[in-house]
Amino acid sequence: MNQILELREKRAKAWDAAKAFLDTKRGNDGLICAEDTAIYEKMEADVVALGKEIDRLERQATLDLELSRPTADPITNKPTATAGSKTKSGRAADEYKNAFWKVMRNKSNFDVQNALQIGTDTEGGYLVPDEFERTLVQALEEQNIFRQLAKVITTSTGDRKIPVVATKGTASWVDEEGIIPESDDAFGQVSIGAYKLATMLKVSEELLNDNVFNLESYIATEFARRIGVKEEESFFIGDGTGKPTGIFHTTGGAELGVTAASATAITLDEIMDLFYSLKSPYRKNATFMMNDATVKAIRKLKDNNGQYLWQASVTAGTPDTILNRPVVTSAYVPIIAAGAKSIAFGDFGYYWVADRQGRSFKRLNELFAATGQVGFMATERVDGKLILPEAIKILQQKAAS
C-alpha cells in the first residue's frame, strides 16, 4: 500500500509539472508550438502510465488479500454447538462444497453424487457452492467497473417487474371552499429478465490431478475475467437483443444531454452543459464515464478560474475528478468520433443489474479427451436496464456532415 501511495504522489507531482509546463509555453493565442506539444504529450503519457500501474497494483492487492484468506479450519474437531449457532445447509454446507470440488477434479463416488443432488441445475451442471459463488461475484466486481456503480439485485425465477413513477402529481392553489383538483402519480414498469452468458475453458489432466494446483482460485479468476468483460460491454453498448440493454443504446439507454459542436473535439462549455443538463438531485451521486482516449482529449481544458477540469487523485481508492465528480474509464465507452456518444454523466445506481441466483459449472470429460484435457463450462443468467433514463445524461459528438 505504501508503494501505491508513493506512486499516487508521484503521479500528482508529474501532473502538476505537466500543467505548469503547458501554462508557461502557451502563446498569446493560447496555443503551443509543435516541439513543446511533443514534450507535453510525453509528460502526459507518463501520468497515464502511472495511473495504469496504480490500478494494477490496487487490483493485485485486492486479489492477494482474497487468496491469502485461510481455506481450511485449523480446528480438527467440531466444537459443541451453542444455542445461537446455525448449521449450514443446502449449497452452503461443507458437505456440498467438498463434493462439488471432488466432481470438478473427477474424484466422485456415490456419496458425493448424493450430496450434489441439492445443487443440480436444469442443464445437467452443478450450481456453485454458496461460499464459492460469493468469491466469484467479488471477482466480477473487481473485473467489471460497472458493477461497482450500478444497483445489483438477485432474482429467483421469471421476470422482475420494477414500478417506476412516470409523472408526479402536483399541488394547486384553490379558493376557500373550492374544489381541490385530483392529481395522481402515473406509474409505469420496467421488466428485467435474464439472458444467458456462458464460457468454457480447458485444463490438462496432469495439471488437474496435481493437488498443488489451486483449481478453485483459477476457475474463479478466469471465469470472472471472461464473464466480467462481456457483462461490462453489454451494460455500456448492449442492444437488448439476447443481452442486456446498455446505457449508450438509443432505445432504453440514457437521455441525450448535449450535442457537441465538433465531431472530433469537446469544449469546456460542453462539459459544463452536460453537468447542468443533469437534474440537481442526481448530481450529488453522479459519475463521469468515458474512454481513456476521451480523458486525454479534455485533460487540457480549464474552468473560468484557470483550474484544470481534470484533477488527479492522490488518495488510494479515490478516483480522479472533473468538476469535483469522480471520473471512471472503460474501454467499452465509445471514443470521440462523428456521431459517437462519448461521455455519460449521471447516477449509475439507477442502472439495475439483475443476477438470476445460482451460477452453474459443468465438467466436460469426453469433449477434449483426445488431447488429454478436461473442459469446464460456466453459465450465468443476468440482465441489466436503466430504470430511470433521466438519471444519466449523454454527450454526443456532432454527426458527420
Side-chain angles (χ1 to χ4, degrees), residues 205 363-371 373-375:
E205 292 178 349
R363 177 184 168 117
L364 307 173
N365 290 317
E366 303 300 330
L367 187 59
F368 307 107
T371 58
Q373 295 173 306
V374 176

Side-chain angles (χ1 to χ4, degrees), residues 7 15 31 38 58 66 73 89 91 113-114 116 132 142 158 173 177 186 193 213 270 288 310 348 352 357 361 391:
L7 286 177
W15 174 235
L31 303 177
E58 288 182 339
E66 179 68 28
D73 194 337
S89 60
R91 290 190 295 127
Q113 295 295 337
N114 290 336
L116 284 174
F132 181 74
E142 293 166 10
W173 296 104
E177 300 181 356
F213 175 56
E270 289 162 353
F288 282 99
W310 185 83
F348 288 81
W352 286 30
Q357 190 172 14
F361 283 177

Side-chain angles (χ1 to χ4, degrees), residues 170-183:
T170 60
S172 303
W173 296 104
V174 296
D175 296 330
E176 288 294 333
E177 300 181 356
I179 298 176
I180 300 176
E182 295 182 3
S183 182

Side-chain angles (χ1 to χ4, degrees), residues 271-336:
I271 298 292
M272 291 290 189
D273 289 342
L274 176 64
F275 184 87
Y276 287 105
S277 69
L278 189 69
K279 292 181 180 178
S280 172
Y282 302 120
R283 290 202 298 266
K284 62 182 180 181
N285 294 318
T287 298
F288 282 99
M289 184 73 71
M290 62 190 76
N291 194 289
D292 277 331
T294 305
V295 174
K296 178 179 176 64
I298 65 176
R299 193 172 273 135
K300 300 176 186 178
L301 300 179
K302 292 183 178 182
D303 62 20
N304 294 331
N305 297 319
Q307 298 294 320
Y308 284 86
L309 283 183
W310 185 83
Q311 296 294 324
S313 169
V314 295
T315 305
T318 302
D320 304 323
T321 61
I322 291 177
L323 299 175
N324 294 321
R325 297 311 309 155
V327 180
V328 178
T329 62
S330 171
Y332 298 105
V333 178
I335 62 174
I336 295 176

Side-chain angles (χ1 to χ4, degrees), residues 175-394:
D175 296 330
E176 288 294 333
E177 300 181 356
I179 298 176
I180 300 176
E182 295 182 3
S183 182
D184 296 329
D185 288 352
F187 293 90
Q189 68 178 18
V190 175
S191 177
I192 291 187
Y195 297 106
K196 186 175 181 179
L197 181 59
T199 185
M200 184 167 58
L201 59 82
K202 295 179 290 185
V203 179
S204 69
E205 292 178 349
E206 292 82 0
L207 188 60
L208 191 62
N209 293 327
D210 186 351
N211 290 327
V212 178
F213 175 56
N214 191 334
L215 177 66
E216 296 91 327
S217 174
Y218 172 72
I219 288 181
T221 303
E222 182 59 19
F223 280 162
R225 181 191 65 80
R226 299 182 185 191
I227 291 174
V229 164
K230 295 307 293 185
E231 277 190 353
E232 185 169 332
E233 180 183 22
S234 293
F235 296 157
F236 280 118
I237 59 175
D239 59 9
T241 302
K243 62 177 72 70
T245 302
I247 61 169
F248 288 101
H249 194 251
T250 304
T251 303
E255 291 184 350
L256 180 64
V258 175
T259 300
S262 170
T264 57
I266 299 172
T267 67
L268 167 65
D269 289 344
E270 289 162 353
I271 298 292
M272 291 290 189
D273 289 342
L274 176 64
F275 184 87
Y276 287 105
S277 69
L278 189 69
K279 292 181 180 178
S280 172
Y282 302 120
R283 290 202 298 266
K284 62 182 180 181
N285 294 318
T287 298
F288 282 99
M289 184 73 71
M290 62 190 76
N291 194 289
D292 277 331
T294 305
V295 174
K296 178 179 176 64
I298 65 176
R299 193 172 273 135
K300 300 176 186 178
L301 300 179
K302 292 183 178 182
D303 62 20
N304 294 331
N305 297 319
Q307 298 294 320
Y308 284 86
L309 283 183
W310 185 83
Q311 296 294 324
S313 169
V314 295
T315 305
T318 302
D320 304 323
T321 61
I322 291 177
L323 299 175
N324 294 321
R325 297 311 309 155
V327 180
V328 178
T329 62
S330 171
Y332 298 105
V333 178
I335 62 174
I336 295 176
K341 297 177 178 179
S342 54
I343 301 178
F345 176 65
D347 187 345
F348 288 81
Y350 285 94
Y351 189 97
W352 286 30
V353 175
D355 289 323
R356 180 70 61 84
Q357 190 172 14
R359 290 173 177 83
S360 175
F361 283 177
K362 183 186 295 185
R363 177 184 168 117
L364 307 173
N365 290 317
E366 303 300 330
L367 187 59
F368 307 107
T371 58
Q373 295 173 306
V374 176
F376 292 93
M377 184 174 67
T379 60
E380 73 164 15
R381 296 184 183 274
V382 65
D383 194 8
K385 278 192 175 71
L386 182 58
I387 304 303
L388 208 56
E390 70 175 27
I392 301 177
K393 296 289 187 176
I394 298 293

Side-chain angles (χ1 to χ4, degrees), residues 72-106:
D73 194 337
I75 300 177
T76 57
N77 62 324
K78 294 184 178 180
T80 303
T82 61
S85 64
K86 295 183 179 179
T87 302
K88 293 182 180 180
S89 60
R91 290 190 295 127
D94 291 338
E95 181 185 11
Y96 182 82
K97 176 183 175 182
N98 294 333
F100 177 88
W101 288 113
K102 283 182 178 179
V103 166
M104 291 299 107
R105 290 184 180 272
N106 202 24

